Amino acid sequence: MTGRYYEEFEVGETIEHEKRRTVSERDNQQFCDMTMNQQPLHLDAEFAAETEFGERLVNGLYTMSVAVGLTIPETTDGTIVANLSYDSVEHPNPVFHGDTIRVQSTVTDKRETSDGERGIVTMHVEVFKLADSDDVLVCEFDRTVLSLKRDHAE
């Protein structure tokens, strides 16, 4: 277990997640197939070539899902009770096949539950694709989790 207990989160702290992921065509295709999303902008090269993007886009929900997965080791691995919400999701820039993404989480709020046995933690998650000069923000959202407190962990 590598996740943090409620007490270990500090409001204002930014966690740079070390793992990165290069998104492949197969990743995008498989995610679209599993979720039954047949949007041609994600799957049809000829269709996508005629759009302002000029090529297929990676499904934004895949990007968000991978981002959550990349945050797990340093945040909630083994210490989470439940994900409570994902809010204020934005996709300001596209992700393409072959892009490598990295993630950082900033703790924006935390409070104990009314019984004092657990805590609610909110993190602002930012997803960037690596670029030659500055990394480009491709997704951001707020993730709220119900976290174990160390003294009440089973």
Side-chain angles (χ1 to χ4, degrees), residues 111-118 120:
R111 63 183 171 82
E112 289 186 0
T113 56
S114 58
D115 64 10
E117 294 183 6
R118 299 175 286 187
I120 297 171

Side-chain angles (χ1 to χ4, degrees), residues 18-154:
E18 291 187 29
K19 285 189 178 181
R20 298 170 183 209
R21 174 70 184 224
T22 300
V23 181
S24 71
E25 178 180 4
R26 182 174 186 266
D27 294 333
N28 188 50
Q29 177 73 51
Q30 189 171 21
F31 185 84
C32 287
D33 289 345
M34 289 187 320
T35 59
M36 299 179 70
N37 182 334
Q38 297 304 304
Q39 169 57 253
L41 188 56
H42 302 311
L43 302 171
D44 185 331
E46 288 186 29
F47 175 88
E50 299 299 319
T51 69
E52 65 185 271
F53 304 105
E55 62 182 293
R56 292 167 291 172
L57 301 182
V58 171
N59 185 310
L61 291 175
Y62 174 78
T63 301
M64 183 177 166
S65 296
V66 168
V68 170
L70 291 172
T71 70
I72 299 300
E74 294 91 5
T75 60
T76 59
D77 185 16
T79 58
I80 191 172
V81 176
N83 281 307
L84 300 177
S85 68
Y86 297 96
D87 299 296
S88 304
V89 179
E90 295 185 21
H91 299 275
N93 291 290
V95 176
F96 300 104
H97 301 150
D99 284 346
T100 299
I101 60 174
R102 72 170 182 86
V103 184
Q104 65 185 35
S105 300
T106 301
V107 180
T108 58
D109 191 39
K110 68 182 260 190
R111 63 183 171 82
E112 289 186 0
T113 56
S114 58
D115 64 10
E117 294 183 6
R118 299 175 286 187
I120 297 171
V121 179
T122 301
M123 295 166 271
H124 183 70
V125 179
E126 295 174 297
V127 187
F128 299 90
K129 66 180 177 182
L130 304 183
D132 291 334
S133 53
D134 291 327
D135 292 348
V136 176
L137 183 68
V138 295
C139 182
E140 62 182 321
F141 54 93
D142 295 322
R143 176 181 178 221
T144 301
V145 301
L146 182 59
S147 181
L148 293 172
K149 290 179 79 176
R150 185 177 298 280
D151 291 344
H152 297 282
E154 297 177 308

